[in-house]
Each structure stands twice: as C-alpha cells, then as structure tokens.
Amino acid sequence: MRVIGFTLMSMMRFLKKGRWGAMKRILWLCILLMGICCVFTGCKKNEKAAFADVEWTRTTEEDTEYIYFASDGGFSYSCGCGNPVNDSDLCNGYTYDDKTGTITLNYDETTDTTITEIKVKNYDGNSLELDFNGDIRKFSPNE
C-alpha cells in the first residue's frame, strides 16, 4: 500500500508543476512494471479440474476402488478395504494440466510400480476415464 500511496503522491506533485510529459513516462513505466510482475509471478487464475471434489468409484473383479482429486491438490486412491492402490499412499498431491489432460502425481519417494502420470481420456460429469500407463480405468461418481 505504501508503494501505491507514494506513486500517487509523486504523480500529484508532477501534475501540480505541469510536467505532463514526465507524468506520462512514469505512468507507462508503472504499467510496464506491473505487467512484468504479472508475467513472472504467473498472474493467472488457478481453476480446479472439472472432476475435482468428487469421489469416483469403480468395481473390479476383486474389490471396489475409490479415487478422489481435491481442488486444493490433495489426492487419494484406495480400495474398499482401505488399502492404497498404485502407491497412492506415497503421493503428497497432484497437479492437472487442462491443455494436455495430464494429471501429474507428486511423490517424495517412488517404487518400481509408482505411476506418476495419469491421462484423462474422457470426462463427461457422469464418468471419468483415466489412462494409467495404458491401463484404462473407468470411474463413476460415488453416490
């Protein structure tokens, strides 16, 4: 707030002295600096994935599996008995790239069976189809 106040006070001084040319340069410099700050700090809106904050389920031959993507980056994937699926207990969150449809799972440590990328093959609100390294798994909302 001090920077904004200082900038406004400086502008007022220039206006009182009739220095319009210098004022225009300072104003353009401020706009340019704000634009550069936005570029470097990622001034973009973080939108949640459309399928986030819904518990998804699928039935396999052995058990029922539950997968959940929280809008804050939390992730869980477990079977009906409560055991994690695909090392999901080692995962500390995820990021989603809407352009490529890729979910990247973040791990502190991995094993040989750890899956770090999941591709969203299809999502229509009533079903979520995910590609786990070639293994296509279809989920529906848990009701």
Side-chain angles (χ1 to χ4, degrees):
M1 290 306 280
R2 287 183 181 182
V3 172
I4 294 171
F6 177 74
T7 305
L8 289 175
M9 288 175 47
S10 298
M11 287 179 183
M12 293 303 291
R13 272 189 255 138
F14 276 111
L15 289 174
K16 286 180 183 177
K17 293 181 180 180
R19 297 181 182 172
W20 289 100
M23 182 63 187
K24 286 180 185 177
R25 282 188 228 128
I26 290 174
L27 185 60
W28 281 111
L29 181 64
C30 289
I31 291 170
L32 179 66
L33 289 174
M34 287 177 11
I36 290 171
C37 287
C38 282
V39 167
F40 285 115
T41 59
C43 189
K44 63 180 181 178
K45 187 177 176 184
N46 287 333
E47 294 185 22
K48 73 175 191 171
F51 52 83
D53 294 330
V54 175
E55 185 176 49
W56 298 91
T57 184
R58 83 177 187 124
T59 304
T60 65
E61 292 177 10
E62 297 86 28
D63 204 351
T64 302
E65 295 178 349
Y66 301 92
I67 194 166
Y68 182 77
F69 300 94
S71 59
D72 66 357
F75 169 75
S76 68
Y77 187 21
S78 62
C79 63
C81 63
N83 290 331
V85 177
N86 293 114
D87 294 333
S88 63
D89 57 331
L90 302 175
C91 180
N92 57 22
Y94 78 97
T95 56
Y96 177 64
D97 184 351
D98 193 36
K99 292 179 184 174
T100 63
T102 303
I103 300 165
T104 304
L105 302 176
N106 306 316
Y107 290 92
D108 289 329
E109 59 183 81
T110 60
T111 67
D112 294 337
T113 60
T114 302
I115 294 176
T116 58
E117 281 192 357
I118 304 169
K119 296 276 188 187
V120 178
K121 298 301 269 183
N122 186 27
Y123 167 73
D124 64 9
N126 293 321
S127 67
L128 176 63
E129 202 170 305
L130 302 175
D131 180 352
F132 289 77
N133 291 343
D135 181 16
I136 308 297
R137 302 177 191 177
K138 189 172 182 178
F139 296 86
S140 58
N142 188 21
E143 298 179 18

